[in-house]
Amino acid sequence: MPRYLTMVRIDENNAPAEGPSEALMQRMGALLEEMTKAGVLLDTAGLTPTAQGTRVTWSNGEFTVTDGPFTETKEVIGGYAIIQAKDKAEILEWTKRFLAVHEAHWTVTSEIREIAEG
């Protein structure tokens, strides 16, 4: 069964300053529990702000190390999930349900990538 990485993209500059509401966290917890019981959720987590991150680039035979925040980037990866789904239709359905637990004032995008096996 294919595995997918969903990268949750947020705009750090326009995310709600107060963070996720308690109601959002309750809905998210219920969905993640349902996904775990269904056997599709393999791993998930939120990520710390880019201010605490570091980028390492290899270019022309040299490393460049850049500490965050990464102000030139509008959207950043705020979290991820690894989901095992039977096909693209199923991963799309779970992803839509994940996005829909957020209140309307959130702008959240999930990028879905199938994990290459072998």
Side-chain angles (χ1 to χ4, degrees), residues 2-117:
R3 295 180 305 146
Y4 298 88
L5 172 65
T6 65
M7 294 171 279
V8 181
R9 296 183 179 275
I10 62 169
D11 180 348
E12 284 188 319
N13 298 320
N14 293 314
E18 68 278 6
S21 69
E22 184 63 33
L24 187 159
M25 296 307 293
Q26 288 178 358
R27 290 190 301 273
M28 185 68 69
L31 177 61
L32 296 180
E33 183 177 333
E34 181 183 345
M35 294 174 76
T36 300
K37 287 181 179 175
V40 298
L41 182 61
L42 303 179
D43 190 24
T44 188
L47 301 176
T48 58
T50 62
Q52 300 171 27
T54 302
R55 286 183 178 163
V56 181
T57 302
W58 174 255
S59 178
N60 297 320
E62 295 187 21
F63 288 109
T64 303
V65 179
T66 307
D67 290 328
F70 309 119
T71 55
E72 74 281 1
T73 304
K74 182 176 180 190
E75 290 183 337
V76 299
I77 298 174
Y80 73 92
I82 298 176
I83 298 172
Q84 185 169 303
K86 64 183 177 201
D87 54 28
K88 191 170 182 177
E90 184 179 16
I91 187 67
L92 281 172
E93 183 59 32
W94 285 114
T95 300
K96 287 179 181 176
R97 290 186 61 191
F98 168 81
L99 295 175
V101 302
H102 294 77
E103 290 94 358
H105 61 273
W106 281 84
T107 300
V108 185
T109 302
S110 283
E111 179 178 332
I112 302 168
R113 306 280 298 275
E114 186 172 348
I115 298 173
E117 303 291 344

